[in-house]
């Protein structure tokens, strides 16, 4: 059996990277895949992120509404199975539980579920719910062992609230482990614990590195310190250095393998042999074949000549963590069992809400009947069509439907702007819609729908240029707008409802010296103008002038658009030049620095500073970051 743990830093991004969830899971060639930091809320779970052919999945998502914690953390366990409904495979769990306090529910059906919270009576219900509210644990019982998939909290220096949360998290977790071990169960703990236990697990660890309270707690849990757990990777690779699983993504530390080992696989309990009390028998010695880090999942490509210089110069994909795996041997099958009820396949947001067959058929029948009646009708002013047990009433008086494509929308659509107004004579539409439905045409909506492409172009044309942000806007189109109004006015001809008379066009005095609004000279029978009218040439050439002026307007618009783009380009080049001149050179390499902003809450939050653009690495390596630092301005420096 192969078990993999991987902090994906966003499950949606990793699925997109590999093309599908199935391809991502198959890339590990493992039986159990434990994923951390899915960054999914429960309502965001969907089939493409939770269901893969040949796998059963179990999710825990954040439940807290605290600021900055929504859509955060989250864990998932994927188990590869041949038959999910009836199986003897140990990879398919016989039970599953969300969280580790026993308060979020589990799939157990025996009395052992009451022992979940054993030993946790010293903690209040509020404390237990709080540590389980961030979606940090999924427990699966595989018969021969219990598997904890964990994402440990992170607590920065000086953040007393998160430090206390992390202390409570591991304190309660330890009580749960002790309860299981007292019952003779075997435990595997995998995941990102956010703890590097020893100096060997951290690049250039300082002298006080191991004095941290969380590292002290971690080492106290290990067998060499009198605890119950084996650090499986260190048990199989006791002297391996620079074996890291996480690298800061914002400093390019992967390039020089400047990282830390915080992703772990731990195990505790007796081995599976009957003579497990014999000296030298334990889980690691008897059942762990190997444990290693899958370095090919790192984003930095070894051997590449490209350097960091403040940003990825080649496209590098993947998480800021590397997967860790272990291979177990001599793990027998378990008794026949089915998939636990906590599986994602049973979640409504993944599987979908079930509908009765009758309601689906009745809905389709009613919709088809209404559509066929509406399309086949010749649209009289008042007509009642009876078909079977359906009565359809249409009222389209004073509505011009010539050349208008009127289609019947779905009856389930939003009723705020309906083309068809549906009034049901029965409250249960699913069963009686086909027998009692009144449909009234609304003349207000019997019009062609707007062209999406046209509205898109209109929105796009309203986008502001960069130059408009640096100078006061000027109305450059006044002249064009005035000429457009004149043209449109001179071209307007109004026909009355009987189409029997024609009015003379009204023109501006500036365009015709003598305007004659008298219509006595126009023959009503022949519709001809007097040949000696002074303004007749202007009136006869109205169409030609309008077309030529329209062309001038279009050319003017193109010129203005081109001018705006040119101005924006020049403005952007000027800004880039100013920025380039203000960037200092680092002292170690005499290269331009990169600008960063303080994101940590405190007196310097939001202040800008400059640092060396090289990738972070060992101080002994001259190619690595030289450690240069400077505030962007004197105003930004702390007082």
């Amino acid at each position: 059996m192969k078990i993999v743990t991987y902090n994906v830093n966003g499950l949606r991004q990793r699925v997109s990277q590999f093309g599908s969830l199935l391809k991502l899971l198959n890339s590990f060639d493992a039986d159990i895949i434990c994923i951390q930091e899915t960054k999914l809320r429960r309502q965001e779970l969907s089939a493409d992120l939770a269901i893969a052919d040949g796998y059963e999945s179990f999710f825990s998502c954040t439940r807290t509404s605290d600021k900055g914690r929504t859509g955060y953390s989250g864990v998932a366990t994927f188990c590869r199975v041949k038959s999910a409904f009836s199986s003897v495979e140990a990879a398919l769990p016989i039970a599953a539980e969300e969280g580790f306090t026993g308060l979020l529910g589990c799939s157990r059906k025996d009395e052992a579920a009451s022992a979940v919270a054993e030993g946790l009576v010293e903690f209040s219900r509020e404390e237990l719910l709080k540590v389980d509210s961030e979606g940090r644990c999924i427990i699966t019982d595989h018969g021969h062992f219990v598997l904890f998939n964990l994402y440990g909290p992170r607590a920065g220096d000086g953040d007393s609230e998160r430090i206390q949360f992390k202390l409570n998290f591991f304190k309660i977790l330890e009580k749960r482990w002790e309860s299981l071990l007292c019952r003779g169960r075997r435990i595997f703990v995998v995941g990102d614990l956010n703890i590097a236990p020893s100096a060997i697990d951290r690049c250039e660890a300082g002298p006080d590195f191991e004095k941290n309270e969380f590292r002290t707690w971690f080492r106290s849990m290990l067998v060499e310190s009198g605890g119950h757990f084996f650090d499986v990777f260190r048990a199989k690779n006791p002297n391996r250095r620079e074996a890291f699983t996480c690298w800061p993504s914002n400093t390019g530390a992967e390039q020089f393998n400047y990282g830390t080992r915080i992703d772990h696989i731990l195990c505790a309990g007796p081995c599976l042999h009957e003579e497990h009390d014999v000296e030298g028998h334990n889980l690691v010695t008897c059942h762990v074949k190997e444990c290693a880090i899958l370095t090919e999942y790192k984003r930095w490509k070894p051997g590449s000549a490209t350097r960091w210089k403040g940003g990825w110069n080649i496209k590098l994909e993947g998480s800021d963590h590397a997967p860790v795996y272990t291979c177990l041997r001599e793990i027998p099958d378990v008794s026949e069992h089915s998939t636990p009820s906590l599986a994602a396949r049973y979640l409504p947001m993944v599987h979908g809400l079930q509908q009765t067959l009758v309601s689906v058929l009745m809905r389709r029948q009613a919709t088809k009947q209404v559509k066929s009646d509406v399309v086949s009708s010749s649209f009289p002013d008042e007509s009642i069509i009876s078909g079977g047990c359906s009565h359809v009433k249409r009222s389209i008086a004073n509505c011009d439907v010539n050349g208008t494509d009127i289609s019947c929308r779905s009856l389930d659509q939003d009723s705020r702007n309906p083309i068809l107004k549906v009034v049901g004579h029965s409250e249960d539409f699913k069963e009686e819609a086909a027998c009692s439905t009144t449909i009234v045409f609304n003349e207000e909506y019997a019009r062609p729908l707007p062209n999406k492409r046209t509205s898109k172009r209109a929105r796009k044309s309203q986008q502001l240029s960069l130059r408009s942000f640096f100078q006061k806007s000027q109305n450059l189109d006044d002249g064009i707008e005035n000429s457009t109004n004149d043209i449109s006015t001179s071209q307007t001809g109004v026909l009355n409802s009987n189409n029997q008379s024609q009015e003379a066009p009204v023109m501006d005095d500036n365009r015709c010296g003598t305007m004659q609004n008298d219509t006595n000279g126009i023959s009503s029978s022949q519709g001809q103008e007097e040949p000696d009218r002074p303004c007749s040439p202007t009136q006869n050439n109205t169409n030609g002038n309008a077309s030529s002026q329209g062309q001038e307007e279009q050319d003017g618009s193109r010129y203005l658009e081109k001018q705006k783009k040119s101005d924006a380009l020049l403005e952007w080049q000027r800004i880039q030049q100013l920025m380039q001149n203000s960037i200092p050179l680092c002292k170690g390499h005499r290269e331009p620095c990169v600008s960063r902003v303080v994101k940590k809450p405190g007196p310097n939050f939001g202040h800008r500073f400059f640092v060396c653009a090289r990738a972070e690495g060992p101080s002994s390596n001259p190619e690595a970051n030289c450690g240069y630092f400077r505030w962007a301005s004197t105003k930004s420096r702390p007082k």
Side-chain angles (χ1 to χ4, degrees):
M1 176 182 289
K2 184 178 180 181
I3 301 175
V4 171
T5 175
Y6 184 29
N7 182 321
V8 294
N9 193 19
L11 180 58
R12 194 185 302 275
Q13 289 84 346
R14 297 292 78 74
V15 170
S16 176
Q17 175 189 345
F18 281 81
S20 69
L21 177 63
L22 182 61
K23 290 180 180 179
L24 170 64
L25 299 177
N26 286 342
S27 67
F28 298 108
D29 190 24
D31 301 288
I32 302 175
I33 303 162
C34 297
I35 287 176
Q36 302 88 42
E37 208 171 351
T38 59
K39 296 184 178 180
L40 294 173
R41 294 178 296 174
R42 194 173 182 84
Q43 59 266 34
E44 293 176 336
L45 288 180
S46 54
D48 61 322
L49 299 175
I51 303 298
D53 187 27
Y55 293 88
E56 291 294 329
S57 61
F58 305 86
F59 279 79
S60 179
C61 303
T62 180
R63 296 167 180 260
T64 182
S65 58
D66 295 344
K67 186 178 179 180
R69 300 289 170 187
T70 56
Y72 174 76
S73 67
V75 294
T77 299
F78 293 86
C79 304
R80 186 163 63 180
V81 295
K82 296 178 182 176
S83 176
F85 295 99
S86 180
S87 177
V88 297
E89 301 168 274
L92 178 67
I94 62 177
E97 177 184 349
E98 182 179 6
F100 56 87
T101 65
L103 299 179
L104 298 185
C106 61
S107 62
R108 293 177 181 273
K109 297 181 180 180
D110 54 15
E111 296 180 357
S114 60
V116 168
E118 183 179 351
L120 304 182
V121 291
E122 60 183 289
F123 302 97
S124 66
R125 184 179 179 86
E126 289 72 19
E127 286 179 308
L128 297 178
L129 286 174
K130 187 174 182 180
V131 296
D132 260 353
S133 66
E134 296 185 1
R136 295 184 175 276
C137 180
I138 277 286
I139 303 174
T140 49
D141 188 345
H142 299 267
H144 304 297
F145 60 88
V146 179
L147 178 65
F148 284 73
N149 178 7
L150 290 178
Y151 177 44
R154 181 181 179 275
D157 296 335
D159 192 345
S160 57
E161 183 180 351
R162 293 305 291 178
I163 289 175
Q164 187 59 46
F165 177 86
K166 190 171 183 177
L167 286 171
N168 288 343
F169 182 89
F170 286 114
K171 187 177 181 180
I172 297 172
L173 192 60
E174 183 180 358
K175 293 288 185 181
R176 181 68 191 275
W177 290 339
E178 290 176 356
S179 174
L180 290 171
L181 291 173
C182 288
R183 291 162 50 196
R185 301 304 305 271
R186 304 172 190 88
I187 301 175
F188 276 86
V189 179
V190 304
D192 174 9
L193 302 186
N194 264 310
I195 301 176
S198 304
I200 192 176
D201 301 309
R202 176 72 166 92
C203 54
E204 294 190 328
D208 298 331
F209 180 79
E210 295 186 356
K211 294 180 181 179
N212 178 276
E213 55 187 329
F214 297 111
R215 305 187 217 287
T216 303
W217 170 83
F218 191 106
R219 291 193 302 273
S220 69
M221 299 290 296
L222 301 180
V223 172
E224 49 265 33
S225 300
H228 299 285
F229 286 88
F230 288 93
D231 182 345
V232 178
F233 179 82
R234 278 294 164 217
K236 292 296 180 180
N237 309 274
N239 300 317
R240 182 177 169 185
R241 305 187 68 85
E242 297 184 350
F244 306 134
T245 64
C246 179
W247 304 263
S249 58
N250 62 338
T251 62
E254 264 180 86
Q255 181 177 341
F256 299 107
N257 193 26
Y258 196 75
T260 184
R261 188 175 73 93
I262 57 177
D263 301 87
H264 303 284
I265 297 179
L266 312 176
C267 68
C271 73
L272 292 168
H273 297 144
E274 293 182 0
E275 62 276 12
H276 62 266
D277 56 337
V278 178
E279 186 179 355
H281 280 248
N282 56 58
L283 270 178
V284 173
T285 304
C286 299
H287 300 287
V288 176
K289 182 180 179 181
E290 61 178 331
C291 184
I293 302 170
L294 292 170
T295 54
E296 61 267 25
Y297 278 80
K298 291 168 59 177
R299 294 192 302 170
W300 183 257
K301 297 179 181 179
S304 175
T306 308
R307 288 295 177 259
W308 169 249
K309 294 184 180 178
W312 294 119
N313 292 324
I314 58 176
K315 186 178 180 181
L316 300 170
E317 297 179 329
S319 171
D320 53 350
H321 291 249
V324 182
Y325 78 93
T326 184
C327 290
L328 307 181
R329 56 191 175 193
E330 299 182 23
I331 304 295
D333 292 335
V334 296
S335 57
E336 188 173 347
H337 61 284
S338 59
T339 302
S341 59
L342 195 67
R345 65 155 67 211
Y346 300 124
L347 295 177
M349 65 284 295
V350 174
H351 184 267
L353 297 174
Q354 289 185 339
Q355 301 183 49
T356 62
L357 183 61
V358 174
S359 65
V360 174
L361 293 178
M362 289 299 294
R363 184 182 295 272
R364 289 182 179 178
Q365 182 182 356
T367 306
K368 286 181 180 178
Q369 182 69 28
V370 171
K371 284 185 178 181
S372 61
D373 289 344
V374 171
V375 173
S376 61
S377 172
S378 59
F379 301 114
D381 287 349
E382 288 287 332
S383 62
I384 299 177
I385 302 176
S386 301
C389 59
S390 64
H391 304 280
V392 183
K393 180 180 179 182
R394 300 176 180 84
S395 177
I396 53 172
N398 301 322
C399 179
D400 182 13
V401 294
N402 294 331
T404 303
D405 182 14
I406 301 178
S407 59
C408 179
R409 293 185 181 178
S410 171
L411 297 179
D412 295 331
Q413 227 170 354
D414 190 355
S415 61
R416 289 173 297 180
N417 295 323
I419 289 180
L420 298 178
K421 291 185 177 180
V422 180
V423 181
H425 297 295
S426 171
E427 293 180 0
D428 190 0
F429 179 77
K430 294 181 180 178
E431 296 181 358
E432 301 180 13
C435 295
S436 59
T437 306
T438 302
I439 301 176
V440 181
F441 271 89
N442 190 343
E443 60 184 83
E444 181 183 354
Y445 297 101
R447 300 168 186 161
L449 296 176
N451 193 338
K452 291 183 180 179
R453 238 179 240 181
T454 307
S455 59
K456 243 184 214 179
R457 278 200 209 105
R459 286 195 299 268
K460 189 175 181 182
S461 65
Q462 295 174 359
Q463 185 175 359
L464 297 175
S465 65
L466 181 64
R467 187 178 182 83
S468 64
F469 291 98
F470 298 96
Q471 66 180 18
K472 293 183 179 179
S473 60
Q474 299 177 357
N475 192 356
L476 301 176
D477 298 330
D478 290 341
I480 294 178
E481 289 178 1
N482 293 334
S483 63
T484 304
N485 292 335
D486 294 341
I487 294 168
S488 61
T489 304
S490 65
Q491 287 180 329
T492 304
V494 182
L495 296 177
N496 64 4
S497 58
N498 297 325
N499 293 327
Q500 292 180 354
S501 63
Q502 181 177 2
E503 295 182 354
V506 179
M507 302 188 66
D508 193 358
D509 292 341
N510 296 330
R511 302 199 180 176
C512 182
T514 305
M515 289 298 303
Q516 298 182 7
N517 295 327
D518 188 7
T519 58
N520 294 331
I522 301 177
S523 174
S524 60
S525 59
Q526 297 178 357
Q528 298 178 353
E529 297 181 357
E530 294 181 3
D532 57 347
R533 187 177 297 273
C535 291
S536 60
T538 305
Q539 293 173 348
N540 292 336
N541 294 331
T542 298
N543 294 335
N545 291 341
S547 60
S548 62
Q549 290 178 7
Q551 183 65 31
E552 291 177 2
E553 177 188 350
Q554 189 175 5
D555 294 342
S557 299
R558 289 177 181 173
Y559 173 77
L560 288 173
E561 187 67 25
K562 196 176 294 184
Q563 186 67 28
K564 286 180 181 179
K565 290 182 179 179
S566 177
D567 292 345
L569 180 61
L570 291 173
E571 192 66 34
W572 182 242
Q573 289 175 348
R574 186 182 69 82
I575 293 172
Q576 285 182 318
Q577 187 64 37
L578 289 173
M579 293 174 63
Q580 190 67 28
N581 294 338
S582 64
I583 296 176
L585 302 179
C586 68
K587 293 183 178 180
H589 311 99
R590 304 303 298 169
E591 295 176 350
C593 295
V594 291
S595 173
R596 302 195 186 279
V597 177
V598 179
K599 297 182 179 180
K600 184 178 179 181
N604 296 323
F605 180 79
H607 292 168
R608 199 160 58 98
F609 59 93
F610 293 102
V611 292
C612 176
R614 294 289 187 95
E616 190 177 11
S619 56
S620 58
N621 189 340
E623 294 293 323
N625 192 295
C626 64
Y628 177 82
F629 175 91
R630 200 191 85 177
W631 290 104
S633 64
T634 54
K635 294 182 181 179
S636 299
R637 294 179 183 176
K639 296 180 181 179

